[in-house]
Amino acid sequence: MGENAQALAQRLGIAPGWVVQEVGYDSDVDDSITDAIEAVGQLVNEDYNDVVDAVLLWWRNEDGDLVDALVDALGPLADEGVIWLMTPKPGRSGHVEPSDISDAAPTSGLQATSTISAAADWQGTRLVAPKSRR
């Protein structure tokens, strides 16, 4: 595994052996993010029917209702699991306003804990269920 992939996997908090469900994949995603996850864990698609440790949710402004997508992502998520919401950075096509994320998170039963620059065109927002609900 390359040093950059290992560093990104660590920043995402992906532990060895984790199962990560990828949702919203399209031709515009950044393969360096998926490669980093695959280097330490197992990346599965939207049809996976078991519990997952994390969800990698690619989301663009035109993708629909973010609350619905977050609620759907919670379905297979383990109790201590995380959702990484990947959105295009400001100025990129499909950019999602931070206020949209901060509005959608609590409505779907989540809270945003951090945001990182995940790749050249993508930022990631880490979402978890509040500790009081775990």
Side-chain angles (χ1 to χ4, degrees):
M1 163 170 48
E3 188 175 311
N4 289 345
Q6 186 173 11
L8 180 55
Q10 285 179 336
R11 287 181 40 227
L12 294 171
I14 306 299
W18 271 23
V19 177
V20 180
Q21 185 174 42
E22 184 176 34
V23 178
Y25 179 88
D26 206 342
S27 60
D28 63 346
V29 306
D30 192 302
D31 291 333
S32 68
I33 298 170
T34 56
D35 291 348
I37 292 169
E38 288 180 318
V40 297
Q42 177 185 2
L43 194 62
V44 297
N45 67 22
E46 297 178 32
D47 297 328
Y48 187 75
N49 288 322
D50 206 348
V51 176
V52 297
D53 300 293
V55 173
L56 177 66
L57 176 58
W58 299 97
W59 194 259
R60 302 133 195 103
N61 191 43
E62 63 275 357
D63 284 348
D65 188 325
L66 181 55
V67 172
D68 288 346
L70 291 173
V71 169
D72 290 346
L74 280 169
L77 197 60
D79 288 343
E80 299 292 320
V82 300
I83 296 173
W84 274 102
L85 176 63
M86 295 292 166
T87 57
K89 288 182 176 178
R92 277 41 168 225
S93 176
H95 172 67
V96 177
E97 292 297 327
S99 60
D100 292 343
I101 297 169
S102 61
D103 289 346
T107 303
S108 57
L110 296 164
Q111 67 183 37
T113 61
S114 61
T115 300
I116 65 167
S117 174
D121 293 325
W122 293 89
Q123 60 190 13
T125 302
R126 184 178 183 270
L127 302 166
V128 298
K131 289 190 184 301
S132 61
R133 295 195 46 211
R134 293 186 204 172

